[in-house]
Amino acid sequence: QVQLQESGPGLVKPSQTLSLTCTVSGDSISGGGYYWSWIRQHPGKGLEWIGYMYYSGNTHYNPSLKSRVTISVDTSKNQFSLKLSSVTAADTAVYFCARDGRVTGFDFWGQGTLVTVSS
Amino acid sequence: QSALTQPASVSGSPGQSITISCTGTSSDVGGYNYVSWYQQHPGKAPKLMIYDVSNRPSGVSNRFSGSKSGNTASLTVSGLQAEDEADYYCSSYTSTYTVVFGGGTKLTVL
């Protein structure tokens, strides 16, 4: 069974960089065939796609966040990471990592982690 | 990119059927069959219910079905049950290699 688990600080100060890691078990990121995504959900709001990466390093980002987002992979640890720079209170959200089979949709999700931006 | 358009809420009585629409453009919903639907209960991660417009993952009840016509995709839930009460989101791949979600629909079982 594929499992994903987000980890990282739950509190980030304004203007700093939010950093989260997603650890994958039950599947190999370097095995190919899937895209690995970050998705967030503001409190009481809908889902917002942040971006995805392929194991080769190819990435695509939401145009509204592109200037501040970096998604990277560590295949040796079977992890992928999110960095969001220059955060403000508007970046306070639950952040999910998910496996994207493209045709098969986001078939496995992490439980989500709440990140609050506050001084 | 703009979010796909979903009704904010729908409701139905147990045993009835409801349909949730998801309207996009020819650059997303209308241009690809990469349309998926997700169910989210409060405090939980979303769960994949439909992929590739109309396919159900293993373990998902056949009371859930999906379809698409032009730029609008639809999720139908038949034989409504109390456990179906949740938020539902559609998503689509786009022509610019990104993904877009709908704004979400709250399903209330009366």
Side-chain angles (χ1 to χ4, degrees):
Chain A
Q1 178 76 333
V2 179
Q3 293 184 318
L4 294 87
Q5 178 68 58
E6 305 89 351
S7 60
L11 181 64
V12 181
K13 289 181 166 46
S15 80
Q16 293 190 342
T17 296
L18 178 159
S19 296
L20 294 174
T21 296
C22 183
T23 301
V24 179
S25 58
D27 190 11
S28 172
I29 291 176
S30 59
Y34 294 97
Y35 298 81
W36 303 90
S37 281
W38 287 97
I39 295 155
R40 70 180 182 179
Q41 187 169 36
H42 294 101
K45 303 297 183 183
L47 301 172
E48 179 182 29
W49 177 77
I50 298 172
Y52 67 71
M53 54 138 284
Y54 197 59
Y55 80 99
S56 60
N58 185 29
T59 56
H60 281 93
Y61 302 130
N62 187 322
S64 68
L65 298 170
K66 185 175 183 178
S67 64
R68 299 193 292 129
V69 173
T70 301
I71 297 176
S72 59
V73 62
D74 186 338
T75 54
S76 67
K77 295 182 179 179
N78 215 33
Q79 297 174 333
F80 63 106
S81 299
L82 169 70
K83 290 189 185 300
L84 181 65
S85 64
S86 305
V87 297
T88 69
D91 294 307
T92 292
V94 174
Y95 287 76
F96 296 97
C97 57
R99 189 180 81 166
D100 175 12
R102 194 48 39 86
V103 173
T104 53
F106 296 103
D107 54 359
F108 289 98
W109 295 66
Q111 64 186 26
T113 186
L114 174 63
V115 178
T116 301
V117 178
S118 174
S119 55
Chain B
Q1 59 187 25
S2 299
L4 305 176
T5 301
Q6 298 181 231
S9 63
V10 298
S11 62
S13 299
Q16 291 186 331
S17 295
I18 62 93
T19 296
I20 300 172
S21 62
C22 170
T23 300
T25 69
S26 58
S27 295
D28 39 63
V29 174
Y32 304 89
N33 283 337
Y34 298 157
V35 176
S36 302
W37 289 90
Y38 303 88
Q39 176 192 66
Q40 186 181 34
H41 288 108
K44 300 294 187 181
K47 174 186 176 183
L48 178 67
M49 304 301 285
I50 295 288
Y51 67 91
D52 197 20
V53 174
S54 59
N55 291 287
R56 277 186 310 276
S58 175
V60 172
S61 170
N62 59 9
R63 297 185 298 104
F64 291 84
S65 62
S67 63
K68 189 183 83 167
S69 177
N71 295 337
T72 298
S74 298
L75 172 72
T76 297
V77 185
S78 58
L80 272 178
Q81 300 180 359
E83 67 206 48
D84 300 332
E85 186 163 295
D87 294 326
Y88 291 83
Y89 296 91
C90 60
S91 76
S92 175
Y93 186 62
T94 80
S95 61
T96 54
Y97 306 101
T98 62
V99 176
V100 62
F101 283 98
T105 298
K106 181 176 180 59
L107 169 59
T108 300
V109 180
L110 302 171

